[in-house]
Amino acid sequence: MRGQVQGVGFRPFVWGLARREGLVGRVLNDSEGVLVYAAGPEAALDRLEAALAAEAPPLARVDAVEAGPWDGEAGLSGFEIAASGPAGAETRVAPDAATCPACLAEIRDERARRYRYPFTNCTHCGPRFTIIEGLPYDRAKTTMAPFPMCADCRAEYADPGDRRFHAQPIACPVCGPRAWFERDGREEAGEAVALAAAALMAGEIVAVKGLGGFHLACDATNADAVARLRARKRRPAKPLALTGSEAMIAAHSEVGAEEWSLLREPAAPIVLLAKAGAVLPEALAPGQARLGWMLPYTPLHHLLIDVVGRPLVMTSGNLSGEPQAIGNDEAREKLAGFADGFVMHDRAIARRLDDSVERVTPAGPMVLRRARGRVPGTLPLPPGFEDAGQVLAMGGQMKAAICLTKNGQALLGHHLGELDEALTWEAYEAALADYAALFDHHPAMVAVDLHEGYRATQAGAAMGLPLVRVQHHHAHLASVMGENGWARDGGKVVGIVLDGLGLGVDGTIWGGEVLLGDYAGFERVGWLKPAPLAGGDAANRESWRNALVRLDKAGLGELAERLMAERPLALVRQAVAAGMNAPLSSSAGRLFDGFAFALGLAPGRMSFEGQAGMALEAAAEGLAVTEGWPFEVAGGVIDPAPMWRAWAEADVAPGVAAAMFHEGLAAAFAGIARAEVAAGRARAVALSGGVMQNAVLQAALLRHLEGVPVLLHHGVPANDGGLALGQALVAAAGAEAP
Ligand code: ZN
Ligand code: ZN
Ligand code: FE
């Protein structure tokens, strides 16, 4: 069996099947997966083979079952679990998994040994990646090493018939980690969960040590508590994630079947769900139609929710811009100004992992932030890359994540954040070493972005290995092709890549592109007519600057003066005219920013990346608009000026205007892409780039692309978190081209 079959209870599962079928032989881990030797009646062997994939344990993913004859051995009398063969580091580490139903029942059962024990887990659930310090994966090389098993736990651990057989983090109240509640560095007497619950119900803010880092929690139904949390974190608008039981989620959201199954996956990601039913404080996600919810994913979180009986805010515990705190002392120091109390425990976090963030669009699930529960899952490289060498791809500057390829698999690392921030940069460097060790990776080649100013690019160039520089939006295109298993010789695809910023091959900044190409190369067949980024970096934070330059270009200077009379327009216009700090950009993201500002949907200065785009999407959501604003398309250049003029003359509500914006933009880009397919130059259309996280835009594009094969992102982020996968594929394709 190949796939995610190690460290997930696969060997005892096979042992159980073999005993059921009366087979003799053995099962072991080897460098490629799990190897089974079985002998017995033909029919029983067939049943075993069928059951291997069909009945696999919850955390397993079986990519392939390859069967062949075995002559058997003399003297076999039973079926055994054999010691592992030579190490095969690349497949041995599984992602962290949410508490399974059996363990949940156990912590709620008064008669059970683990009643109310916050660190209960088994082979089918519990921490993995966040506790591993080295390979091979066994207890001695995890942060559970300081907790010797008691006799009862040891017996469970050694029994192949027990669901805790070889569960490395196995623990109980006698031998395992302990949680406590503290204020001002002093532990309070009593049960941690009960004390924390009382504090939360009194409106206090509590730091909670989770799997991949500390969270800040408060009562999500208490508007004062939420406001206090926002004020202390100096985070005015960015949505806060929530956790609650299924009943709580259902009471406040509209949850479709696909969303329920995503919430209930062992990865337990944050899922963006439409607000519905009982109203929660607006301050949780100002102006948003959706709230991010996750189910409790550790026993500690379950116990807390059980006691407080209401949803909790569960937002990452960090100083603004910095990565989440993971150490107890680090949390005491950094979160003292935020939290009234702390739920601590004495199991160390080996590796910082944010919560994953995902959503379901009409076209399926979409990962926005790939982290806890998803990494270090691997994905198979597309056909034609089976023999690709080992590549290390460094990713971009924002939403940094690296990618490693080896043995036909790609390991896309977890979301690290913005590399400008010193501590995030440290985390990035640590991740490079960490993944190299875990994956036993020795790259023959390094892939980087074209942008020399990216720290990731500089670090890649300094490695002294063959270097491949990959254009940013080509990497986005290759990423979505790769995720969809597009064969290396599968022909060209036309990619609509709508993004924030990325350096183009002509030295201007791209971000609203139509690229025709494959893994090995591309040409630019369409783009948004460039406008200056007035003030350079300032244009990425201040939406009004993008409104100004676009209005001016449309001949609507007077309207700009009315809309933003209080801004330093003359100064900015002078700088733009002189070409000072005003690089040209075809960025779709900045056009979204400018239009959201003009509609009054986004503040002039945004408090988090993507704020304006999210506001524009939220305003347009659910409005059935069939006519879009006119975007002029000539020679592949999409000019938004006519749409600004049409909007200025019309009298429509902001929501309708936003919907018409999505519709018009989609029609223009889809038109160019369709033409490439119709002319036989491309075999499919691919959608990528950060702007593609917008479900309204995605739906409009899919409508305009009906009848054409379309490749979409699902498990790999459309934003720069998925960039490294594309970089790796482009590098592999270029390096091996005949
Ligand atoms: Zn379990
Ligand atoms: Zn124990
Ligand atoms: Fe990008």
Side-chain angles (χ1 to χ4, degrees), residues 215 241 268 270 294 297 314 324 353-357 369 371-372:
H215 284 111
I270 295 169
M294 59 184 157
Y297 58 86
M314 209 42 89
Q324 221 175 349
L353 279 188
D354 290 299
D355 297 311
S356 291
V357 182
R369 183 167 77 192
R372 176 188 51 75

Side-chain angles (χ1 to χ4, degrees), residues 472-473 476 499-501 689-690 718-720 723:
H472 190 95
H473 304 99
H476 275 303
D499 204 21
L501 306 176
N719 60 45
D720 285 5
L723 200 65

Side-chain angles (χ1 to χ4, degrees), residues 181 183 193-206 219 308 340-341:
F181 183 77
R183 288 178 192 272
V193 166
L195 293 165
L200 289 164
M201 286 189 284
E204 292 189 307
I205 294 163
V206 175
D219 177 356
V308 296
D340 300 301

